[in-house]
Amino acid sequence: AEEPGQFSRQIDDLEIWDGMPTAAPPADTAPPYLTDVSPRSDDGSVPADTDITLHVRDQGSGVDRDSIAMSVNGAKVTPTITGSAADYAVTFRPLGNFAYGARVTVSVSAKDLAGNAMTPVSYSFTIEEPPVDIERPLPPRGVSVQILSPNG
């Protein structure tokens, strides 16, 4: 029994499909963005042999892989890019170590497949100081040295 003001009827798949909205999906207006940056901005004491890694993501049309650009200390570099348009992992492995105590500046830019360009992101981190080498000094030629404990 139906209640007053309500009715029910069975509908078929064609009727459901015909009733689906035909409007286009909303336009992609949001640019890509960075996540999971390593080393992080303002990190100190970063190992000299570090790789630079980050993700470029986009929740709309996806990141245009060919638009991803990275520079390190002002020099354009060619990172390794893996993943999909929704989430590209970007890794730069320098040919040699960074200089001890150096401030390293990374800049990244990208566009999505709809043409939305992210505002370029720049950040910096600092490489560790050189390790202190504690070695016993060599005695001058012709001199012998004997190390004694403080108690004799």
Side-chain angles (χ1 to χ4, degrees):
E2 294 180 18
E3 300 213 10
Q6 293 187 351
F7 68 95
S8 63
R9 72 181 180 95
Q10 191 169 359
I11 55 176
D12 62 23
D13 290 341
L14 182 59
E15 191 172 10
I16 292 172
W17 182 257
D18 285 344
M20 297 297 284
T22 58
D28 177 4
T29 59
Y33 57 95
L34 297 186
T35 64
D36 306 322
V37 173
S38 177
R40 293 178 308 202
S41 181
D42 295 325
D43 270 358
S45 297
V46 173
D49 64 350
T50 194
D51 291 347
I52 299 170
T53 62
L54 53 91
H55 286 252
V56 182
R57 294 187 172 143
D58 187 71
Q59 294 179 347
S61 59
V63 178
D64 177 355
R65 185 184 191 283
D66 294 335
S67 76
I68 298 172
M70 176 186 272
S71 65
V72 177
N73 292 333
K76 186 174 176 9
V77 297
T78 305
T80 301
I81 302 171
T82 59
S84 68
D87 179 6
Y88 281 118
V90 179
T91 302
F92 173 65
R93 174 167 284 157
L95 294 176
N97 290 351
F98 290 107
Y100 287 115
R103 184 97 171 135
V104 177
T105 301
V106 179
S107 298
V108 180
S109 63
K111 292 181 190 177
D112 66 16
L113 294 167
N116 300 306
M118 64 182 275
T119 301
V121 174
S122 290
Y123 65 95
S124 299
F125 56 89
T126 303
I127 301 300
E128 66 191 350
E129 292 297 325
V132 177
D133 190 14
I134 302 176
E135 289 186 23
R136 291 188 181 153
L138 295 174
R141 289 179 149 231
V143 175
S144 78
V145 175
Q146 183 178 7
I147 299 176
L148 301 173
S149 72
N151 299 329

